[in-house]
Amino acid sequence: MPTHPMRADDEHTVMRDVFISHVGNMIENDPRLALVLADISAGEGRFAQIVREHPDRIINVGIREQLMIGTAGGLGLTGLRPIAHSYAPFLIERAFEQIKLDLEHQGTSAVLVSVGASYDWAEGGYTHFSPRDIGLLDSIGDWRIHTPGHPDEVPAALTNAVDSDRNAYLRLSLQENQQPHHTAAGKLSVLKRGRAATVVAVGTTLDNVLTATADMDVTVAYTNTPRPFDTETLRQLSSDDIVIVEPYQAGSSDWIINSALRDRPHRLLSLGVGRNDLNRYGTSADHDWWHGLDAAGIAGSIKRFLAL
């Protein structure tokens, strides 16, 4: 099983490193916490230290992601707060039946923390793509979902997920915005105001959205907690035209936005990862371009939508 690769130009701490450090500190101070791994990261740095110091609360099940979720469910039933960590497609898609049965159906909860996002390691091929993870979790229950846009946003997201005592998903990525935006959990943060439309940027899409809309008279709002979605602020901001840009499958939040605005006329443009398999490797930047999630692609889509 390959470990999550670092970008060749990465000379700073990435989201996964912040998660590892913060979860180590949390385990030191919270006797409820237990960490379940499926080989990924188990022997590395801070994780290896945590394993040595707390062998009773760190379980590595090997390359058995379904067992990892089953174990987390069992730990949750004993009163512990389990955190399960692996690559996004293995954590959510491969183990989805166990998420459905061993967490949701049993009425227990866990914090699931992924790396890889939709196509961070595109060079690894389609087995490492996971743009459908949010849609899958939406299909089975009321999950709290965090999508940090910068490494500095990870500690607050992890703490919020652990403290919520509900099923939570923390979606980490190698992509990141240039600056952190510390928003209140579950709230939209307004970064720019305009009249033509409201554009919502989720997580790592923010920088491209800000670049794309720099010369447009639009409101730009940011969230790194798309579930629960801040529909109250959206209703306060919304014009007749809404655009949402998400780093996972396009349309994942349509049902929430349309429901929130069901009593008023509106148009919705959803930008995100396309549904079709492109049958291409490339890099994450290539896939942003192919799916129209680079700044130029986002700008073009919004301008066509608003007839600018």
Side-chain angles (χ1 to χ4, degrees), residues 63-87:
I63 309 173
R64 302 176 181 88
E65 288 82 5
Q66 294 96 328
L67 175 59
M68 176 178 64
I69 298 300
T71 301
L75 292 171
L77 289 175
T78 71
L80 293 174
R81 184 63 168 151
I83 300 173
H85 172 59
S86 188
Y87 229 87

Side-chain angles (χ1 to χ4, degrees), residues 52-130:
R52 290 194 301 270
E53 294 174 351
H54 300 280
D56 56 328
R57 287 192 287 140
I58 313 296
I59 301 172
N60 179 18
V61 300
I63 309 173
R64 302 176 181 88
E65 288 82 5
Q66 294 96 328
L67 175 59
M68 176 178 64
I69 298 300
T71 301
L75 292 171
L77 289 175
T78 71
L80 293 174
R81 184 63 168 151
I83 300 173
H85 172 59
S86 188
Y87 229 87
F90 312 147
L91 180 67
I92 303 300
E93 294 181 312
R94 181 176 295 173
F96 183 68
E97 183 177 13
Q98 283 65 44
I99 294 172
K100 178 183 73 174
L101 297 178
D102 297 344
L103 297 180
E104 286 288 342
H105 185 64
Q106 287 193 124
T108 190
S109 65
V111 177
L112 309 185
V113 181
S114 73
V115 291
S118 291
Y119 39 66
D120 275 358
W121 191 34
E123 299 91 329
Y126 204 56
T127 57
H128 286 67
F129 287 27
S130 189

